């Protein structure tokens, strides 16, 4: 696939993405966000802000979150 977009799917078996985020349209990336919602309190949340929308993503570890943020910022 295109390395400059982020695609997300309904499941691992889905053929078509729900949405494609053009990372060249990324205006800001924030790491280490905190939320009051209980299911996200101990999560490694970061966001991707575009002119149209803010996407919130959750990584499994802090290191993985930081790798995602670095990679997106390099574009």
């Amino acid at each position: 696939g295109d390395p400059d977009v982020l695609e997300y799917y309904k499941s691992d078996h889905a053929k078509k993405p729900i949405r494609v985020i053009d990372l060249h349209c990324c205006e800001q990336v924030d790491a280490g966000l905190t939320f009051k919602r209980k299911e996200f309190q101990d999560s490694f949340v970061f966001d991707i802000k575009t002119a149209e929308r803010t996407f919130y993503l959750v990584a499994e570890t802090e290191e993985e979150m930081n790798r995602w943020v670095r990679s997106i910022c390099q574009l």
Side-chain angles (χ1 to χ4, degrees), residues 15-71:
K15 302 273 188 231
K16 295 178 87 172
I18 294 173
R19 186 162 184 132
V20 177
I21 305 167
D22 182 350
L23 296 177
H24 289 293
C25 296
C26 176
E27 297 177 348
Q28 183 175 332
V29 180
D30 301 299
L33 303 175
T34 56
F35 288 88
K36 291 183 180 181
R37 289 179 62 179
K38 190 173 184 172
E39 63 265 32
F40 295 118
Q41 284 182 353
D42 296 321
S43 299
F44 301 98
V45 181
F46 61 103
D47 68 16
I48 299 172
K49 293 183 180 178
T50 67
E52 297 176 2
R53 185 172 171 183
T54 300
F55 298 90
Y56 295 94
L57 298 96
V58 179
E60 292 186 12
T61 66
E62 184 175 14
E63 181 182 337
E64 180 184 20
M65 174 188 68
N66 291 330
R67 280 197 316 256
W68 273 104
V69 170
R70 278 193 307 272
S71 296

